[in-house]
C-alpha cells in the first residue's frame, strides 16, 4: 500500500512542483524532518553549509560567491529553469540539521577531510579513504536537500552517513586545471548495456529520475558521487577519474596523480544496468522494499 503524504508537508521545491505540474519526475517523497541526517525529533536546529565556512576561508572571495542555475529538459535539449544569486557561500545551507549532528560527527568529518581536500596529503587509503568518501556523500546529500532539485536520498541512506558511506554509492576523483568551489547535480548518465529483464521505460525512470549524480569541486579536486536506487544495486558503474569508493569498499588513490580533465563536469559515469536480485521489476511500490525509498505515494492536499 503506497504511503500517503500531505503535499504541504514536503520540501518547498517538491511541494511547488507537485502542486503546479501535471506530470513530474519521480522522487523520494518525505515530510520535512526535524533533522535530515538523523532520527532526532527535538532539540536545537542549526544550518549546515554546503561548503564549511572554514573551508571557504581557504579560497579567494570570488570563489565563494555562487550563482546556482537549474536546467529543465526540453526534448533532447535543456533550458534554464531558474537562476539565483550571485550570493555568498555562507547563504548556501540546509536549515534542518540538528545541533548534535552539525557540531558532532559532521564537524569532525570536515576536520578530517580538509587535509586531503586542500592537498596537504597525497596518498589516501583504508580508513581515510572511507572518511573522504563519507565527506563527498554527506556533501552531495546537503546539496540535494537544500537546493531546488527533487529529493533523491531517502532517510535510511542519509542516516547511514553518520557512520559510513551509504549503500549503493560510488565515488571517484579527478583533477581540473582551474580551481573553484562549485558543484553540478543531475547530469544524464551514459548507458553501456541494459539487462533484458528490464524495459526501456523502467531504465529511464530509474537512471534518469531516481539516480543522483553530483559532482563536487574543491579547488582543483573533483569528486563524482553516484547514488543508485536500490532497484539498480546490481548495476556496474564506470566512473570518471580514479575510483575512491564502490561496493562498500574504499580504494587506494594517489591524489597527486589523478587524471586531469579540462571541464570539471563534462564526463558522465557509464552504467551497465542490471536489476537487484530481490526486485521483480513489477512495481516501483513493490512490498519487497519500503515504499519510502521510491516515489510511489499518493498525494493529498
Amino acid at each position: 500500500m503506497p504511503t500517503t503524504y500531505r503535499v504541504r508537508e514536503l520540501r518547498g521545491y517538491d511541494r511547488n512542483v507537485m502542486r503546479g505540474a501535471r506530470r513530474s519526475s519521480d522522487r523520494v517523497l518525505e515530510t520535512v524532518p526535524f533533522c535530515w541526517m538523523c532520527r532526532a525529533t527535538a532539540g536545537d536546529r542549526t544550518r549546515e553549509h554546503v561548503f564549511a565556512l572554514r573551508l571557504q576561508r581557504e579560497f579567494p572571495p570570488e570563489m565563494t560567491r555562487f550563482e546556482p542555475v537549474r536546467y529543465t529538459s526540453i526534448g533532447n535539449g535543456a533550458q534554464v529553469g531558474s537562476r539565483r544569486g550571485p550570493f555568498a557561500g555562507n547563504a548556501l545551507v540546509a536549515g534542518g540539521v540538528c545541533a548534535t549532528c552539525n557540531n558532532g560527527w559532521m564537524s569532525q568529518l570536515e576536520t578530517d577531510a580538509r587535509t586531503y581536500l586542500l592537498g596537504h596529503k597525497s596518498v589516501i587509503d583504508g580508513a581515510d579513504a572511507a572518511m573522504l568518501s563519507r565527506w563527498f556523500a554527506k556533501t552531495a546529500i546537503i546539496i540535494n536537500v537544500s537546493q531546488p532539485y527533487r529529493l533523491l536520498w531517502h532517510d535510511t541512506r542519509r542516516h547511514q552517513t553518520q557512520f559510513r558511506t551509504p549503500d549503493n554509492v560510488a565515488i571517484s576523483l579527478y583533477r581540473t586545471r582551474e580551481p573553484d568551489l562549485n558543484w553540478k547535480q543531475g547530469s544524464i548518465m551514459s548507458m553501456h548495456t541494459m539487462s533484458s529483464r528490464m524495459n526501456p521505460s523502467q531504465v529511464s525512470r530509474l537512471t534518469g529520475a531516481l539516480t543522483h549524480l553530483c559532482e563536487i569541486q574543491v579547488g582543483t579536486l573533483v569528486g563524482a558521487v553516484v547514488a543508485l536506487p536500490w532497484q539498480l544495486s546490481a548495476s556496474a558503474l564506470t566512473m570518471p577519474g580514479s575510483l575512491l569508493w564502490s561496493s562498500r569498499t574504499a580504494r587506494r588513490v594517489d591524489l597527486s596523480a589523478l587524471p586531469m580533465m579540462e571541464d570539471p563536469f563534462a564526463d558522465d559515469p557509464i552504467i551497465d544496468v542490471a536489476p537487484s536480485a530481490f526486485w521483480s521489476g513489477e512495481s516501483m511500490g513493490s512490498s519487497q522494499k519500503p515504499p519510502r525509498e521510491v516515489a510511489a505515494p499518493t498525494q493529498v492536499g
Side-chain angles (χ1 to χ4, degrees), residues 168 195 197-198 206 228-236 272-282 286 288-289 293:
N168 303 331
S195 168
R197 294 172 54 194
M198 305 180 73
L206 292 166
L228 291 172
W230 60 268
Q231 294 95 330
L232 299 185
S233 59
S235 299
D272 294 307
V273 181
S276 61
F278 48 82
W279 182 51
S280 67
E282 296 173 357
S286 168
Q288 294 170 312
K289 272 287 187 176
E293 295 194 13

Side-chain angles (χ1 to χ4, degrees), residues 37-110:
M37 306 305 292
C38 76
R39 299 193 181 281
T41 58
D44 294 327
R45 297 183 90 190
T46 61
R47 302 193 303 169
E48 168 68 8
H49 291 84
V50 170
F51 295 113
L53 294 180
R54 50 184 160 165
L55 181 62
Q56 292 186 44
R57 286 192 282 268
E58 300 288 340
F59 295 89
E62 61 269 21
M63 290 188 189
T64 61
R65 293 190 64 80
F66 298 88
E67 189 174 356
V69 178
R70 182 176 60 85
Y71 291 91
T72 58
S73 297
I74 305 294
N76 293 324
Q79 68 179 21
V80 174
S82 64
R83 187 186 299 272
R84 299 176 295 139
F87 46 76
N90 60 11
L92 290 171
V93 296
V97 177
C98 74
T100 300
C101 285
N102 198 358
N103 300 329
W105 68 269
M106 296 174 83
S107 177
Q108 185 62 53
L109 191 58
E110 293 289 345

Side-chain angles (χ1 to χ4, degrees), residues 245-277:
W245 181 271
S246 181
S247 302
R248 296 193 179 187
T249 302
R251 314 302 171 100
R252 185 179 188 275
V253 177
D254 186 347
L255 301 181
S256 66
L258 291 172
M260 182 69 66
M261 298 186 185
E262 295 297 329
D263 187 329
F265 309 130
D267 286 6
D268 292 331
I270 299 171
I271 185 170
D272 294 307
V273 181
S276 61

Side-chain angles (χ1 to χ4, degrees), residues 126-139:
D128 282 354
M131 172 276 299
L132 190 60
S133 298
R134 282 178 65 217
W135 184 90
F136 276 105
K138 182 271 298 181
T139 304

